Amino acid sequence: MLRSVKLYFRTTATATANRRQLKTLTLSTSTTTANKDAYFALVHHITNIVRRDIYPERTLNRLNLPVTSELVFRVLRACSHSPSESLRFFTWARAHYSPTSVEYEELIKTLARAKRYASMWKLITQMKDQNPQFSISSDTVCSIIEEYGKHGLIDQAVEVFNKCSSLNCEQSVGVYNALLFALCEVKMFHGAYALIRRMIRKGLAPDKRTYAVLVNGWCSSGKMIEAQSFLEEMSKKGFNPPVRGRDLLIEGLLSAGYLDSAKEMVRKMTEEGFVPDVNTFNCLIEAICNVGEIGLCVDMYHGVCNLGLCPDINTYKILIPAVSKVGRIDEAFRLLHSSIEDGHKPFPSLYAPIIKGMCRTGQFDDAFCFFGEMKVKGHPPNRPVYTMLITMCGRAGRYVEAANYLFEMTEMGLMPISRCFDMVTDGLKNCGKHDLAKRIEQLEVSLSRI
C-alpha cells in the first residue's frame, strides 16, 4: 500500500513538472544534457497523453503547449504504432501551427504501415492543397511502395511508382529498388528482372541494394542457381555489384534463414584463402550469435583476421556483448583491446556488457575497478550504464555501492529512474542503513522539484 501511494505521488509530481516545463523548454544545440533529458521526458509525457487519453485534445489544450514542427514530429514518430491516435493528434496540432512536409511524411509512413491507405491518400491530398508545389521525398514514396508490396498489393505499388511525377518525386534508383522489393515479395521475379533492364535503359546504374533485393528474393525461394546466374549475367554486361557476388549470396542466404548454408559458404571461402566483406561477416556472426554459437563466432573472427580481414566497430559491438553474456570475460577484454588497437574509441555499449558480465559472475570488485578506469581514461558512462550497474548491485545485495552510484550519476547531471530509487531505498532499510536510505529519499524529492 505504501509503495502504491509513493508511486502515485511521484507520477503526479512528474506530470505537474512536465506541464510547467513544456511552456518554456526548447531544444537547441547549446542545450545541456540535463535539459535534453527533460525535453525528451516531456515528449514522452505528451506521447502517453496522445496514446492513452480518452480526450487527448482537452488535456493538450490545458497544457498550453508551444506547438512546434519538431515537437509534433517527435510525438508522431513516438506514436508510429498508433495510427488513429497519431492522426487525431496531428489534426489537433494543425489548428495551432502550420505543419511542414516532414510531419506530413512521418504520418503518411505510419498510415501506410497500418494499411490505412484511404487516410494516407487523403493526407497526401491535403498536403497538395496546402502547397501546390509540394513534393514527397523519395524515402516516403519508397516506404509506400514497399508497404504495398509486403501486403501483396503489387498493382497499387506499381501505380504509386507510375505516379511519381504527379507527386513531384524523381524515379531514382531508390524508388526502382522499392518496386523491385515489392515484386520480389510476391515472387514476380521475371517482372523484377524486367524492371532492372528498364532501369538500365533509363541510364540508372544498379547499386548494392538492387542486387541484394533480387538475390535475397531468389535465395528465399531456394533458387540459388538463378541468383548466381543473375550475378554472372550482370557482370558480363559490365554492371558489377559494389561487393563481390559471393558476399551477396551469403547475405541472401542469411536473409532467407539458411544459416548453415551461409556458414558452409564462408568456410569454403576461408579454406580457399578468401575473406568475406566486413559487412557480410558482421551479418553472419550476428546471426550465429543469435542462435547461441558464441564459440564458433570467436573462432571465425580469429580465422578471418589471420587472413587479413579488418574488423570495424560493428564487429566488436556484436562480439563483445555476446562473449560477455556467456561469461567469457577474458575474451571480451581481448576484443576490447583489439578494438582500441584498431583505433576505435570505447563507448558505453562496448564496455557496459563487460561490466555486466563481471557482475553476473560475482566479480564486483573487478567491475568497479574497470568502471573507474574507463572514467579516468575519458569515457564517461551514460544513464543506461549507471542504471545497469545500480541494478546489478541491488540484485547482489550491495546496496551501499548502489547508493554511491546513485549519488554519482546525479552529480553528473543524469536523472536516475524511479525503480532504482525504490530498490536502493528498500534495500538499505532492510539491511539497517536507515540514515543512508533517508538521504536517498531526500535526493529523490529534491530531484522531483527541479
Side-chain angles (χ1 to χ4, degrees):
M1 181 63 182
L2 180 61
R3 183 181 294 274
S4 299
V5 172
K6 186 176 174 182
L7 180 62
Y8 169 77
F9 281 113
R10 180 183 294 116
T11 305
T12 304
T14 302
T16 303
N18 285 347
R19 285 194 291 268
R20 183 170 62 249
Q21 294 182 64
L22 273 169
K23 297 181 181 180
T24 57
L25 187 61
T26 57
L27 185 67
S28 66
T29 55
S30 61
T31 308
T32 64
T33 302
N35 279 347
K36 285 184 179 180
D37 286 344
Y39 178 85
F40 290 116
L42 296 174
V43 171
H44 180 69
H45 178 61
I46 299 169
T47 301
N48 284 336
I49 292 173
V50 172
R51 289 189 301 190
R52 300 173 183 174
D53 204 307
I54 298 176
Y55 300 108
E57 296 87 354
R58 182 177 62 187
T59 306
L60 292 170
N61 285 332
R62 288 175 179 172
L63 293 177
N64 291 325
L65 293 175
V67 181
T68 63
S69 175
E70 181 192 6
L71 180 68
V72 174
F73 170 74
R74 291 189 182 278
V75 173
L76 288 174
R77 188 168 62 177
C79 296
S80 59
H81 297 293
S82 305
S84 299
E85 291 78 5
S86 295
L87 186 59
R88 188 172 177 178
F89 168 72
F90 186 67
T91 303
W92 171 85
R94 286 178 59 193
H96 297 81
Y97 90 119
S98 297
T100 67
S101 60
V102 175
E103 299 93 82
Y104 270 110
E105 292 188 12
E106 183 64 27
L107 184 54
I108 287 169
K109 293 177 185 177
T110 297
L111 295 172
R113 284 191 294 268
K115 298 192 288 185
R116 298 279 297 276
Y117 303 120
S119 298
M120 178 190 75
W121 286 112
K122 183 178 180 181
L123 197 65
I124 291 174
T125 302
Q126 291 175 357
M127 185 178 173
K128 190 173 182 179
D129 292 341
Q130 180 185 357
N131 180 11
Q133 301 301 319
F134 89 106
S135 62
I136 295 183
S137 67
S138 60
D139 181 59
T140 302
V141 172
C142 291
S143 179
I144 296 172
I145 293 173
E146 290 183 7
E147 290 301 325
Y148 274 131
K150 288 177 184 177
H151 299 108
L153 303 172
I154 192 62
D155 291 339
Q156 289 85 339
V158 173
E159 183 182 356
V160 174
F161 178 83
N162 292 331
K163 288 174 63 175
C164 279
S165 58
S166 64
L167 298 174
N168 292 333
C169 176
E170 180 186 0
Q171 286 184 342
S172 62
V173 174
V175 175
Y176 271 93
N177 288 342
L179 183 57
L180 187 67
F181 171 84
L183 290 167
C184 290
E185 282 290 292
V186 295
K187 312 301 181 185
M188 293 181 63
F189 297 116
H190 292 296
Y193 191 38
L195 183 67
I196 291 179
R197 292 198 296 267
R198 173 181 171 179
M199 184 168 76
I200 293 172
R201 288 198 304 271
K202 294 285 186 179
L204 298 173
D207 61 9
K208 179 185 176 181
R209 186 160 192 265
T210 309
Y211 292 95
V213 167
L214 195 49
V215 170
N216 288 352
W218 265 319
C219 287
S220 65
S221 298
K223 298 183 178 181
M224 281 287 294
I225 296 176
E226 287 83 348
Q228 290 174 317
S229 300
F230 164 70
L231 291 172
E232 291 172 2
E233 182 180 349
M234 293 298 288
S235 179
K236 290 177 182 177
K237 292 182 177 181
F239 292 96
N240 292 313
V243 295
R244 292 168 301 180
R246 279 196 288 192
D247 291 320
L248 283 171
L249 289 172
I250 292 168
E251 293 182 21
L253 289 169
L254 291 172
S255 177
Y258 297 114
L259 179 58
D260 291 337
S261 299
K263 289 192 291 186
E264 180 64 20
M265 184 171 285
V266 172
R267 186 186 64 79
K268 289 181 179 178
M269 285 178 66
T270 54
E271 285 179 354
E272 296 170 5
F274 298 102
V275 295
D277 173 75
V278 65
N279 292 325
T280 303
F281 178 71
N282 290 344
C283 292
L284 178 62
I285 61 173
E286 185 174 21
I288 297 174
C289 285
N290 289 338
V291 296
E293 299 181 31
I294 310 302
L296 176 60
C297 281
V298 174
D299 293 340
M300 289 182 65
Y301 163 80
H302 291 299
V304 296
C305 285
N306 291 335
L307 290 173
L309 178 73
C310 295
D312 62 8
I313 192 62
N314 292 318
T315 309
Y316 296 109
K317 285 172 68 176
I318 295 167
L319 286 175
I320 290 177
V323 297
S324 299
K325 189 173 182 179
V326 295
R328 299 181 61 172
I329 305 302
D330 292 340
E331 186 64 47
F333 273 111
R334 279 194 287 271
L335 290 167
L336 181 64
H337 293 150
S338 295
S339 72
I340 295 172
E341 290 172 2
D342 290 346
H344 303 299
K345 182 178 178 180
F347 47 89
S349 63
L350 279 186
Y351 61 82
I354 301 178
I355 296 173
K356 188 173 184 178
M358 286 191 286
C359 291
R360 280 177 170 170
T361 56
Q363 300 172 264
F364 281 93
D365 291 338
D366 293 336
F368 298 152
C369 182
F370 179 59
F371 185 65
E373 180 184 336
M374 296 302 297
K375 290 185 290 184
V376 170
K377 290 185 177 180
H379 310 302
N382 56 16
R383 186 186 183 197
V385 175
Y386 270 111
T387 301
M388 176 272 295
L389 189 53
I390 292 168
T391 302
M392 297 305 290
C393 288
R395 289 176 181 175
R398 305 180 72 118
Y399 297 108
V400 174
E401 288 91 343
N404 289 335
Y405 286 121
L406 262 180
F407 286 118
E408 184 178 304
M409 73 180 294
T410 55
E411 289 172 1
M412 294 182 63
L414 302 173
M415 178 70 74
I417 62 176
S418 59
R419 176 173 56 80
C420 287
F421 280 115
D422 290 341
M423 179 185 66
V424 175
T425 302
D426 294 343
L428 290 171
K429 289 179 179 178
N430 289 335
C431 64
K433 304 287 184 180
H434 295 285
D435 291 341
L436 187 54
K438 187 175 182 180
R439 288 181 58 194
I440 295 293
E441 289 177 335
Q442 291 172 345
L443 175 65
E444 183 180 13
V445 172
S446 64
L447 290 174
S448 68
R449 291 174 179 171
I450 297 176

